[in-house]
Amino acid sequence: MMEWQRSAFDWNQARAFLVTAEEGSLSAAARALGLTQPTLSRQVAGIEEALGVTLFERTSRALLLTQAGTELLEHFRSMGDAANRISLTATGQSQTVTGKVVIAATNGVATYFLPPILKDLRTKAPELQIEVIASNEMSDLRRREADIAIRHTRPQDENLITKRLRDTTAQLYASTQYLNEVGRPSRTADLAKMQFVGFDDPERRLGLMASRGINLTTANFNFLTTSVTLSVALIRQGFGIGILPVEIGEAYPELENPFPAFEQLKIETWLVAHRELRTNLRIRLVFDLLVEGLGK
């Protein structure tokens, strides 16, 4: 049986510890929670007294988690997530969650992966306003250019919350029409005679291909674009060979892998938000749905 007396501490105090640990200072945590710093400090001291442990080392410059604080932090994060879920359930599956959430994603992710997730979001929180920045330029979350970003490299900024989603892979694709016209390559040397659709700077692409034993020049890239959607359209129309995520390439029956011996590329996917947004209900709802939808 649950020993209820052992868990007789104040949730507000627990939340004070969680947000202070996430924000890194009492002042930042107080702003996030809309409290005065003395009030927040008393709540943190209260949870330490209730648990009988010291959670923070207090220095002149910063608060540092003790070993006990570090060990307990994940448990308090779970409590915070549960509290958010309780709030969502109590409001009727988020029907009253309102406001605007800005999501930044690459053109490819925004076009091919976000729509079914946004459809689910519309059902669960119909009053939310969603703006999607579909661009390969990296939005600055610190300056609030976006609330949540989907990236393919791990951010180094310690002030950001990051969640690694499932990895995907990319490989070569070409239209059956194009390959019927020029022939199917049987060795790497054959690829050097073919045309390619470049998704980014051709110099970067040349290095990638060379690392896999395929020696191309800029003359192989007659069509360049920074748009995944346009790249897909050009490949489907027979303009040449391109590199696409397998989930996208396999969606079109007219595309095939012209050279299966080509080593697939591994693509990481990271979901990123500012730490302050952990206490924002609508941002957390969207963040969790993106984790669920993109993590499958």
Side-chain angles (χ1 to χ4, degrees):
M1 293 182 61
M2 179 80 172
E3 295 187 46
W4 297 107
Q5 292 183 354
R6 288 180 177 270
S7 58
F9 55 82
D10 190 324
W11 158 243
N12 286 324
Q13 294 176 347
R15 184 180 64 162
F17 162 68
L18 173 60
V19 178
T20 301
E22 294 289 355
E23 294 295 331
S25 71
L26 288 169
S27 57
R31 287 194 299 271
L33 292 173
L35 301 173
T36 65
Q37 188 168 329
T39 297
L40 184 69
S41 182
R42 286 194 298 272
Q43 290 184 348
V44 172
I47 191 68
E48 289 180 318
E49 181 179 354
L51 296 176
V53 296
T54 300
L55 299 172
F56 291 107
E57 295 281 357
R58 292 163 173 79
T59 69
S60 58
R61 294 187 176 182
L63 290 177
L64 302 176
L65 281 170
T66 62
Q67 181 177 349
T70 300
E71 292 174 353
L72 291 171
L73 181 57
E74 284 306 313
H75 296 293
F76 281 103
R77 282 175 175 157
S78 297
M79 288 181 64
D81 291 341
N84 278 336
R85 289 194 296 271
I86 290 169
S87 296
L88 294 177
T89 301
T91 54
Q93 292 298 312
S94 311
Q95 296 298 311
T96 60
V97 178
T98 61
K100 181 178 179 179
V101 179
V102 181
I103 304 170
T106 62
N107 175 264
V109 170
T111 301
Y112 294 100
F113 296 97
L114 280 188
I117 300 172
L118 297 180
K119 185 176 181 180
D120 183 35
L121 177 61
R122 183 180 63 180
T123 300
K124 294 180 177 178
E127 296 184 25
L128 270 183
Q129 180 184 10
I130 303 296
E131 177 183 348
V132 178
I133 301 174
S135 172
N136 296 328
E137 298 295 326
M138 191 171 294
S139 296
D140 190 340
L141 272 65
R142 296 290 298 278
R143 295 184 179 180
R144 289 299 188 272
E145 293 177 355
D147 298 310
I148 300 172
I150 303 166
R151 298 177 179 173
H152 294 302
T153 57
R154 181 174 187 173
Q156 300 302 312
D157 191 334
E158 62 183 13
N159 291 309
L160 299 177
I161 297 171
T162 61
K163 173 73 174 179
R164 186 170 183 175
L165 307 176
R166 66 177 177 85
D167 295 338
T168 187
T169 55
Q171 64 185 31
L172 298 179
Y173 283 97
S175 70
T176 300
Q177 170 196 344
Y178 175 73
L179 295 174
N180 286 341
E181 292 174 355
V182 303
R184 286 165 175 77
S186 59
R187 54 198 179 100
T188 55
D190 295 336
L191 289 168
K193 304 172 185 177
M194 307 181 81
Q195 293 298 308
F196 285 76
V197 175
F199 172 64
D200 51 20
D201 182 350
E203 295 297 333
R204 293 178 55 190
R205 192 65 72 190
L206 293 179
L208 171 66
M209 302 300 279
S211 70
R212 285 163 168 73
I214 304 172
N215 297 313
L216 305 179
T217 70
T218 54
N220 293 100
F221 293 86
N222 283 349
F223 295 93
L224 301 173
T225 176
T226 58
S227 167
V228 170
T229 51
L230 178 55
S231 180
V232 170
L234 292 173
I235 296 168
R236 293 178 66 197
Q237 289 296 319
F239 282 82
I241 299 172
I243 297 177
L244 297 174
V246 293
E247 293 90 345
I248 297 176
E250 297 302 315
Y252 298 98
E254 68 270 29
L255 299 184
E256 60 180 273
N257 185 345
F259 194 68
F262 178 82
E263 181 185 352
Q264 288 188 329
L265 305 176
K266 181 179 178 181
I267 303 174
E268 295 181 1
T269 304
W270 292 85
L271 195 59
V272 189
H274 195 275
R275 286 185 177 277
E276 175 181 329
L277 301 179
R278 184 177 288 277
T279 57
N280 187 308
L281 192 61
R282 67 177 181 274
I283 304 296
R284 187 68 195 188
L285 170 63
V286 176
F287 190 94
D288 288 344
L289 285 176
L290 289 171
V291 169
E292 179 181 350
L294 295 173
K296 295 178 181 177

